[in-house]
Amino acid sequence: MNTVARKVLLFGGGGVLFFTLALFGMFSVQSPQKLSLPPFSEWTVYSGVTVKANGDWEIVVDGTDAPYLYQIQSPPIDVEFFQNVYQFSLPIEVMQGKVAVGVLNEGKETWLNAPKLLSHYSVKTMFNRQVSVVVANDDPGPSNPSRFTVRIPR
């Protein structure tokens, strides 16, 4: 990552303050990096959800019918601070209900990518050093419990 250090001279309050700004590629275009997802054996499975493994890289999930409830979540995944974009694939075959994939910030309280169902995802990691991938129910009303197969391409 290219880092440019610049000194900025600020006058105020009768004194001179010097700041060193590290510009982490904010104004440059960087190639997207691959976000390496860990095997499903390391993911959290939420209460009421059952998982059947088809190896380390594919699972069948019998989820809940609770609206927007997390079904599974990756452990924190290390990312480079202020790397512009990471990309990953997480193909999901939904047999019942509706689910979506989202990416949470380092503190796990804010979506970097709001949940949606795609097969390929891009996420701007901004000022985070870790992110978590979540598969959640995506149905605001009563429905059948979610059931889906999810695979991490190798």
Side-chain angles (χ1 to χ4, degrees), residues 88-110:
F88 65 98
S89 294
L90 194 64
I92 295 178
E93 178 188 343
V94 179
M95 284 87 77
Q96 184 175 294
K98 294 180 184 177
V99 296
V101 175
V103 180
L104 289 170
N105 71 339
E106 187 170 354
K108 299 180 187 174
E109 73 273 348
T110 303

Side-chain angles (χ1 to χ4, degrees), residues 121-134:
Y121 301 87
S122 291
V123 60
K124 291 183 180 180
T125 57
M126 303 302 289
F127 299 106
N128 293 280
R129 296 185 196 286
Q130 294 182 320
V131 297
S132 292
V133 176
V134 174

Side-chain angles (χ1 to χ4, degrees), residues 36-40 43 56-58 89-91 150-154:
S36 295
L37 299 178
F40 285 118
W43 290 48
D56 282 340
W57 306 107
E58 182 176 290
S89 294
L90 194 64
V150 59
R151 181 175 53 86
I152 299 173
R154 297 304 330 140

